[in-house]
Amino acid sequence: MLATRWNTPRAATCAAQLVSPFRGQQRCAFRASELALAAVKTKKSYADLPNTHLRPDGTPAPPLDEWWSGDVRRAGELRKRDTGIVNALVEEAKRERRRGEGADEPPPRKRRKKVHGGSAPPYETQPPEFPFPEEEEIEDVPKTARSRKKKVDADEAEPASLKKSRKKKATSEEVSEISPKQSKVATDAEERKGGLPREILDNLSRFPHCILLTRVGKFYESYFDQSHEVARLLNIKLAYRKWDGRSIPFCGFPLQYIDKYLKVLVQQNRRFVALCEEYPRWSKPGVMTFDRRVARVVTPGTLIDESFLNQYENNYLLAISHQPEADQQKIGLAWIDVSTGEFYSKSATLDILRDELARIGPREIVLDKAFETARPSQLEQALAEELNGVSYTTPMADEGENALDFVVDPPENEQETLEKTVSTTPVDDITEDSDELPSLAEFSAEERGAITLLTTYLHANLLDHMPTLSMPAREGAAARMQIDSHTIKALEIRESIREGGVKGSLLSVVKRTSTSSGTRLLARWLCSPSTSIPEINARQALVAFFHARDHFRADLVAALASTEDTGRIVQRFLLGRGEANDLHALNSTIRVWSALKARILQERQQESLEATERGVEFAHEKWTSLDALVARMSDLQDLSNRIGAAIKQRDSVKEAPIVDSDDSDTEVQVEGTLPRVGWKAVVNWTIRPQFSEKIMSLHKVLEELLNQREQLEADLQLQYDAPSLTLRSSPAQGNHVHLLKAKRDRKRMDGESEFVGIAESGTTKSYFYQVHLMAGSESWHTIDSLSALGTNGCTDLRNNERIDDGRKRGVNSHAPQLRRTARILDELDVTLGFANLAKEMNFVRPVLTEEPVYEVVDGRHPTVELGLLTNGRVFIPNSLRMNPTSQLHIITGPNMAGKSTLLRQTALIAVLAQTGSFVPAESATIGIVDKLFSRVGAKDDLFHDRSTFMVEMLETAEILQRATARSLVIMDEVGRGTTVKDGLAIAFATVHHLLSVNGCRALFATHFHEIADMLGYSTDTAARGLFDNVGFFCTDVDETNDGHFAYSYRIRSGVNRDSHGLKVAQLAGMPQSAVTVAQDALTWLKTRKEDSSSNAAELNSLGRSITNRSP
């Protein structure tokens, strides 16, 4: 399309006045003004152009004041002059006219002085200071050289590769890169005075341990030596820009990719990232600059609401406090999930630190700065085993005061308990109903030290996003089953060893939860089952209650599936990040809670009525656990009503008639806190007009303006006989008049001076029309005002503002009640899942007792059973009875016959029973297990210089040192990694220690059948003395006359002295020739006599004879 410039001051002034109503949208306005100056096609003479801008009342409008559009070059010119934007445009128009007429020759280009000497030395972590120019010169270039003129600042150093990449079609990866030209759009004039470089250097010196990402406009950028590492890790291009004549490396990416690249930097590469945000400030009237400061340091343990955060797992940050001078063994633990606000503390010892690390599963560990250079050997070993990321910080000086400094707004009187801004983290005990805040005296000195360490680290990294913390819930060592780190991994409780993920784990098999928060609670319960029989019985009572009511259970599950992750939503509000979508989610969740409560009450009334009709007594005891949970649910209807009265429902969307452009450069609104008005968007007003009188009045004004626009469009169509005429808006042309069929409808409009043509194609044409511009400007200003008021409304709903009667009614003030109710619903979700699991897999309710017994009839391995059912096979169950007269079982038998499966299913059934679930068996009576240990599987640990046998011995030693009389131990193939005699001796010593010292319930599977003879086994009489409470069981192989065999998988009493290893070799596909050789060798070895003097010679003869017979 052909275009000419307006070459007159009056035209420039008119164009400036026409686009002035877009001041609220500064960048769009300036783009429109540039288009008016550079792309207007007109045949009007100078005399025909308007001289002044007239107001609606007919009076002339004064010239516009100085304002800045965001363009760095133009801002530099305006700062040198005080004549305002109008004079600047007039002067530019004069220069263009003189160049076109050839009246004056342009001044010669100024040359820059070259900087001699070698290249600048590479910067270290803290770059050195260097001078920056006060102001760069903007050179005037002849028109003939205009196309070859190099851009100042970053454009001068633009690599050729970046210039070529802009010509290519943008791909998803190319969009994520930044060129110097793109970054220049968002910079300010202070950058040219050295402001941005100085801020970057200052932040690098303050955070030398972090990768610094500085926000510049719509990009995050990295500078100096860090940019090389960032570009390599993120696989983006590295560019250069000139500051003070030096080429500085930098790279960057658009804002919308921040979560994508934080995942790469923080999660995958475990880097710390300091996010430097820009905060606008008006240094002069109409001149906006930026302050840039680090708002947050992102670490693996301080993730808040990033999109890559796993919604089904907790993201814990753990602090460990240890004071060797006070006690060599005692430590304090404090851990928090910043994304949910769950906060716990515990006193422990260095001996069980590894087990605690495996149970908690922290993403990051914090230690005192004093341990950075040297730390106790046990602490070093525990941290090295788990390979967790370790950070260091210096705790606050006044430990006693700051460790529990959480109540930032304490209650004014005893009656204001519900208005407290801080509560304690809900505990796992379903029977406990105490909301009292713990006192400082309840926490040990080690716990206080860990809490202080943790809160110090949070303050240092969250900075502007530091939330109000809840009081930590104290975990007692006696209330939970302790599962060591080896057992959690070997039993695949949380994740599968083979797959490396959740698939194939116990969690994946028993998970029937409907919510992500319920899944997180289930994972915690499985890794730390309860040892309190009242708590276990309360959970089982809920499972049994729901198990017997299919329709009621289905209704509750369907309702829970529609709830949101309230814990993380509340935490976002406490962090000041909650938006309108979160308000919607919170309101809908509260309504679901109310519906759930009503449905529970309805079911209770219905059962009571049915019992009355049948003339039987209503079973109140069956409702005890559920009634206790419902009674603890808070009444949040007031908060829901306030949110509902202020926020529109998500389906309440009205299409805005103000924006209806078919322009290709359109911007579709993304649903957010407030309407971000685009050029072709849906104006989704989240705040209801009734929220305040001012919002109501502005909505009325906007409605009137929209009606006036529609009327103006209809009047213009009639007046100019142009049916295709529409009033439109676009980012490139602003508010304009559009003719869809220009050839037919343009005749009368072209002759009118009120219509200024701005664009034309083969069939369409667009005009500036001053009346439409003025009306559109007023509409945009009204929308901006509504957006601002909407922001304030969302803030009021979020914060703890006192309104009406002086009570706090914001979301933040209801955080304790919201968290407590959400936790209750999580417990309901888990128990409902257990009930569904029991129905689907035919689980039964176990009986828990304090006696040291374990009696299971037809028990099954839940994970193996599901895998077999998937392949159309059936699991063969086994029964097991352990009691004081038979507390240790020796299990022998062939490979692949089910010994390891029996061991693991025994442990998993105990875990499920004490979690509160039903178990896979026909019946089960289980004595409480305080500690669960396992020594199963074979693996080495070459990273820590440990062979397979060394790993086996380490695990065995730990079991023998820590097992108690109430513990359950499963051990498989102890001693197999060395010679037969050494292995047999170690196996016997292990059994002896378990019986004589530990006195625990244990299953000991082995291929050393000789150990049965050492323990006094006989087919005629039972073992005597120390070993009289040892039971002997085995598995078998069923063989046929034609050489085929099958595993029975059934446990029977006795000892099997044949391991049938060759049969496993055949099943594995070993070549038949190799199997034949093995059979010959095995036959000879079984028939020879033990004689140490002739042993070597006989074995040598055997080897030669077998070799001669083999083909």
Tab-separated table of all heavy atoms in Angstrom, residues 655-674:
chain	number	residue	atom	x	y	z
A	655	GLU	N	-19.846	-10.065	26.060
A	655	GLU	CA	-18.985	-9.618	24.981
A	655	GLU	C	-19.081	-8.104	24.853
A	655	GLU	O	-20.162	-7.543	24.816
A	655	GLU	CB	-19.393	-10.288	23.669
A	655	GLU	CG	-18.421	-9.969	22.538
A	655	GLU	CD	-18.700	-10.787	21.303
A	655	GLU	OE1	-19.528	-11.707	21.384
A	655	GLU	OE2	-18.108	-10.497	20.270
A	656	ALA	N	-17.926	-7.473	24.799
A	656	ALA	CA	-17.894	-6.012	24.773
A	656	ALA	C	-18.097	-5.506	23.362
A	656	ALA	O	-17.317	-5.806	22.471
A	656	ALA	CB	-16.569	-5.507	25.318
A	657	PRO	N	-19.132	-4.723	23.119
A	657	PRO	CA	-19.337	-4.199	21.777
A	657	PRO	C	-18.342	-3.108	21.403
A	657	PRO	O	-18.332	-2.680	20.270
A	657	PRO	CB	-20.762	-3.642	21.840
A	657	PRO	CG	-20.978	-3.326	23.277
A	657	PRO	CD	-20.203	-4.319	24.047
A	658	ILE	N	-17.533	-2.683	22.370
A	658	ILE	CA	-16.614	-1.588	22.054
A	658	ILE	C	-15.481	-2.049	21.156
A	658	ILE	O	-14.872	-1.270	20.460
A	658	ILE	CB	-16.054	-0.984	23.355
A	658	ILE	CG1	-15.226	0.262	23.050
A	658	ILE	CG2	-15.208	-1.962	24.112
A	658	ILE	CD1	-14.791	1.006	24.284
A	659	VAL	N	-15.150	-3.329	21.170
A	659	VAL	CA	-14.006	-3.811	20.413
A	659	VAL	C	-14.471	-4.928	19.500
A	659	VAL	O	-14.876	-5.978	19.932
A	659	VAL	CB	-12.901	-4.307	21.369
A	659	VAL	CG1	-12.140	-3.144	21.945
A	659	VAL	CG2	-13.472	-5.125	22.495
A	660	ASP	N	-14.418	-4.694	18.226
A	660	ASP	CA	-14.905	-5.690	17.275
A	660	ASP	C	-14.118	-5.615	15.976
A	660	ASP	O	-14.679	-5.561	14.900
A	660	ASP	CB	-16.397	-5.487	17.016
A	660	ASP	CG	-16.693	-4.069	16.576
A	660	ASP	OD1	-15.771	-3.223	16.579
A	660	ASP	OD2	-17.834	-3.812	16.198
A	661	SER	N	-12.811	-5.591	16.080
A	661	SER	CA	-11.999	-5.458	14.888
A	661	SER	C	-11.659	-6.818	14.321
A	661	SER	O	-11.446	-7.776	15.043
A	661	SER	CB	-10.705	-4.696	15.213
A	661	SER	OG	-9.846	-4.728	14.119
A	662	ASP	N	-11.590	-6.891	13.010
A	662	ASP	CA	-11.114	-8.110	12.371
A	662	ASP	C	-9.662	-7.965	11.967
A	662	ASP	O	-9.143	-8.725	11.166
A	662	ASP	CB	-11.966	-8.447	11.140
A	662	ASP	CG	-11.919	-7.331	10.097
A	662	ASP	OD1	-11.294	-6.283	10.378
A	662	ASP	OD2	-12.488	-7.520	9.015
A	663	ASP	N	-9.018	-6.954	12.540
A	663	ASP	CA	-7.619	-6.715	12.228
A	663	ASP	C	-6.803	-7.933	12.642
A	663	ASP	O	-7.050	-8.563	13.657
A	663	ASP	CB	-7.125	-5.468	12.972
A	663	ASP	CG	-5.740	-5.039	12.510
A	663	ASP	OD1	-5.675	-4.264	11.566
A	663	ASP	OD2	-4.759	-5.515	13.123
A	664	SER	N	-5.801	-8.273	11.844
A	664	SER	CA	-5.019	-9.473	12.117
A	664	SER	C	-4.196	-9.352	13.379
A	664	SER	O	-3.864	-10.342	14.016
A	664	SER	CB	-4.084	-9.768	10.937
A	664	SER	OG	-3.210	-8.675	10.726
A	665	ASP	N	-3.865	-8.148	13.775
A	665	ASP	CA	-3.049	-7.934	14.974
A	665	ASP	C	-3.957	-7.747	16.180
A	665	ASP	O	-4.053	-6.692	16.769
A	665	ASP	CB	-2.148	-6.714	14.780
A	665	ASP	CG	-1.147	-6.576	15.916
A	665	ASP	OD1	-0.995	-7.545	16.671
A	665	ASP	OD2	-0.546	-5.491	16.025
A	666	THR	N	-4.666	-8.789	16.521
A	666	THR	CA	-5.618	-8.693	17.613
A	666	THR	C	-5.025	-9.295	18.867
A	666	THR	O	-4.093	-10.078	18.835
A	666	THR	CB	-6.918	-9.433	17.259
A	666	THR	OG1	-6.591	-10.780	16.935
A	666	THR	CG2	-7.630	-8.773	16.121
A	667	GLU	N	-5.620	-8.953	19.955
A	667	GLU	CA	-5.146	-9.419	21.261
A	667	GLU	C	-6.325	-9.977	22.028
A	667	GLU	O	-7.265	-9.271	22.347
A	667	GLU	CB	-4.516	-8.255	22.026
A	667	GLU	CG	-4.053	-8.640	23.427
A	667	GLU	CD	-3.525	-7.440	24.167
A	667	GLU	OE1	-3.133	-6.461	23.515
A	667	GLU	OE2	-3.513	-7.485	25.404
A	668	VAL	N	-6.293	-11.269	22.302
A	668	VAL	CA	-7.389	-11.916	22.995
A	668	VAL	C	-7.083	-11.924	24.481
A	668	VAL	O	-5.989	-12.266	24.905
A	668	VAL	CB	-7.580	-13.357	22.483
A	668	VAL	CG1	-8.699	-14.050	23.231
A	668	VAL	CG2	-7.863	-13.329	20.996
A	669	GLN	N	-8.074	-11.572	25.263
A	669	GLN	CA	-7.864	-11.460	26.704
A	669	GLN	C	-7.722	-12.827	27.330
A	669	GLN	O	-8.442	-13.754	27.029
A	669	GLN	CB	-9.036	-10.735	27.344
A	669	GLN	CG	-8.893	-10.616	28.866
A	669	GLN	CD	-10.155	-10.172	29.510
A	669	GLN	OE1	-11.048	-9.725	28.808
A	669	GLN	NE2	-10.266	-10.289	30.800
A	670	VAL	N	-6.758	-12.945	28.220
A	670	VAL	CA	-6.614	-14.128	29.032
A	670	VAL	C	-7.312	-13.872	30.356
A	670	VAL	O	-7.125	-12.826	30.961
A	670	VAL	CB	-5.124	-14.450	29.262
A	670	VAL	CG1	-4.980	-15.673	30.154
A	670	VAL	CG2	-4.430	-14.660	27.934
A	671	GLU	N	-8.081	-14.841	30.788
A	671	GLU	CA	-8.847	-14.644	32.022
A	671	GLU	C	-7.896	-14.426	33.176
A	671	GLU	O	-6.973	-15.184	33.409
A	671	GLU	CB	-9.713	-15.872	32.295
A	671	GLU	CG	-10.633	-15.682	33.490
A	671	GLU	CD	-11.499	-16.896	33.691
A	671	GLU	OE1	-11.341	-17.846	32.945
A	671	GLU	OE2	-12.320	-16.881	34.613
A	672	GLY	N	-8.084	-13.382	33.914
A	672	GLY	CA	-7.190	-13.064	35.017
A	672	GLY	C	-7.942	-12.355	36.111
A	672	GLY	O	-9.151	-12.442	36.242
A	673	THR	N	-7.198	-11.596	36.887
A	673	THR	CA	-7.812	-10.912	38.008
A	673	THR	C	-8.821	-9.890	37.548
A	673	THR	O	-9.909	-9.780	38.070
A	673	THR	CB	-6.714	-10.214	38.825
A	673	THR	OG1	-5.749	-11.193	39.197
A	673	THR	CG2	-7.294	-9.578	40.070
A	674	LEU	N	-8.459	-9.114	36.539
A	674	LEU	CA	-9.302	-8.032	36.088
A	674	LEU	C	-9.314	-8.004	34.573
A	674	LEU	O	-8.455	-8.587	33.915
A	674	LEU	CB	-8.765	-6.694	36.630
A	674	LEU	CG	-8.895	-6.548	38.155
A	674	LEU	CD1	-8.074	-5.384	38.609
A	674	LEU	CD2	-10.345	-6.359	38.541
